């Protein structure tokens, strides 16, 4: 199947695109985009892959499904387009970044600047109906993104995985921790953060300390 995705990922995932479940997923999405309001736009479904080629990937952050409000989702987990107010989880991510690295809170919630440095911002499910969280759950995306994480774990070395919340931690349970750094904490959502499970994890500085220790360039968070 000819999937429009960045060429290094197309090579890595070629076999996945030919499997029956993926063909069924494509047929489902064609019907959904034709009859419903779906986020993100078709052109941005694989934005995380297009912004972060496989051979440049250094960090993986795993979200759940895209934001389901108008103009929010841009294909990168936790990220919103320029000019869109920061959703609560993103506000808490920036809050921890400020406490950890003394960074000013960014004006824009667009995380393309991270993606361009090798931070792979992967949602478990890559599409959603407007106003209906988890509406594309169980349609095949989870199988696909499991395969993506497995490919990264198997074929790359020294990747930092940031697993925020139970969902991401279950998603990353098969990561080979003998050759990758896996950092876990609560989710940045207000409920988790207000219970003391998010703030203070210092994942941004820990990731950079790891890269420094192995001679790789740090992320400019």
């Amino acid at each position: 199947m000819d999937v429009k995705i960045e060429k290094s990922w197309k090579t890595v995932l070629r076999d996945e695109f030919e499997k029956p479940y993926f063909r069924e997923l494509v047929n489902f999405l064609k019907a959904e985009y034709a009859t419903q309001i779906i986020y993100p736009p078709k052109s941005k479904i694989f934005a995380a892959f297009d912004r972060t080629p496989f051979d440049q990937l250094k960090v993986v952050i795993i979200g759940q499904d895209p934001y389901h409000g108008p103009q929010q989702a841009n294909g990168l987990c936790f990220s919103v387009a320029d000019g869109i107010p920061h959703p609560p989880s993103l506000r808490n991510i920036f809050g921890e970044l400020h406490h950890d690295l003394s960074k000013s809170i960014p004006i824009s919630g667009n995380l393309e600047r991270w993606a361009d440095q090798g931070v792979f911002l992967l949602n478990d499910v890559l599409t959603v109906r407007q106003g209906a969280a988890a509406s594309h759950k169980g349609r095949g995306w989870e199988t696909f993104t499991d395969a993506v994480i497995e490919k990264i774990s198997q074929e790359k070395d020294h990747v930092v995985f940031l697993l925020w919340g139970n969902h991401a931690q279950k998603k990353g349970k098969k990561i080979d921790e003998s050759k990758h750094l896996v950092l876990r904490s609560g989710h940045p959502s207000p409920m988790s953060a207000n219970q003391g499970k998010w703030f203070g994890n210092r994942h941004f500085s820990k990731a950079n300390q790891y890269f420094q220790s192995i001679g790789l360039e740090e992320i400019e968070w």
Side-chain angles (χ1 to χ4, degrees):
M1 180 173 291
D2 185 24
V3 176
K4 293 181 179 179
I5 193 171
E6 191 275 331
K7 60 182 181 181
S8 66
W9 283 107
K10 194 165 191 173
T11 299
V12 169
L13 298 171
R14 182 183 293 114
D15 292 344
E16 213 62 29
F17 296 140
E18 300 301 328
K19 293 181 179 179
Y21 87 86
F22 195 86
R23 293 180 179 274
E24 291 176 11
L25 172 61
V26 168
N27 290 335
F28 166 74
L29 291 173
K30 285 179 179 178
E32 284 287 283
Y33 275 95
T35 60
Q36 305 289 333
I37 298 175
I38 305 298
Y39 300 129
K42 281 184 187 178
S43 62
K44 293 187 178 294
I45 292 175
F46 293 110
F49 299 80
D50 296 335
R51 301 291 307 205
T52 308
F54 186 76
D55 55 356
Q56 297 176 25
L57 184 153
K58 297 171 65 177
V59 178
V60 177
I61 299 176
I62 301 173
Q64 294 190 39
D65 63 347
Y67 297 121
H68 51 79
Q71 299 182 316
Q72 287 183 305
N74 68 350
L76 310 177
C77 74
F78 296 108
S79 175
V80 291
D82 293 321
I84 301 299
H86 301 172
S89 291
L90 185 57
R91 285 201 301 269
N92 286 336
I93 289 170
F94 287 158
E96 175 58 24
L97 179 61
H98 171 70
H99 292 302
D100 187 12
L101 295 174
S102 299
K103 293 276 187 179
S104 299
I105 303 297
I107 294 174
S108 174
N110 192 334
L111 301 181
E112 289 177 349
R113 59 187 179 275
W114 290 5
D116 291 341
Q117 298 178 74
V119 181
F120 185 48
L121 297 161
L122 178 69
N123 274 316
D124 185 18
V125 175
L126 301 190
T127 54
V128 69
R129 281 188 184 184
Q130 177 179 269
S135 50
H136 285 184
K137 181 180 178 181
R139 293 290 184 166
W141 278 130
E142 296 93 336
T143 302
F144 175 72
T145 50
D146 279 347
V148 170
I149 293 168
E150 185 176 359
K151 288 285 188 181
I152 296 169
S153 179
Q154 289 178 348
E155 298 187 20
K156 295 188 70 70
D157 296 304
H158 306 303
V159 173
V160 176
F161 290 84
L162 305 183
L163 305 183
W164 298 340
N166 291 333
H167 189 93
Q169 288 166 29
K170 291 177 182 177
K171 189 79 176 172
K173 64 184 178 182
K174 294 184 179 179
I175 295 166
D176 184 352
E177 296 191 44
S178 69
K179 62 174 183 171
H180 302 292
L181 177 64
V182 179
L183 299 175
R184 300 173 175 86
S185 78
H187 194 274
S189 66
M191 180 179 295
S192 174
N194 291 339
Q195 293 175 351
K197 297 177 181 179
W198 166 253
F199 289 110
N201 66 32
R202 301 193 64 224
H203 280 188
F204 304 105
S205 61
K206 288 176 180 177
N208 278 349
Q209 287 164 7
Y210 176 72
F211 290 133
Q212 188 178 45
S213 73
I214 58 176
L216 295 179
E217 188 174 353
E218 298 177 9
I219 303 295
E220 183 62 37
W221 295 104

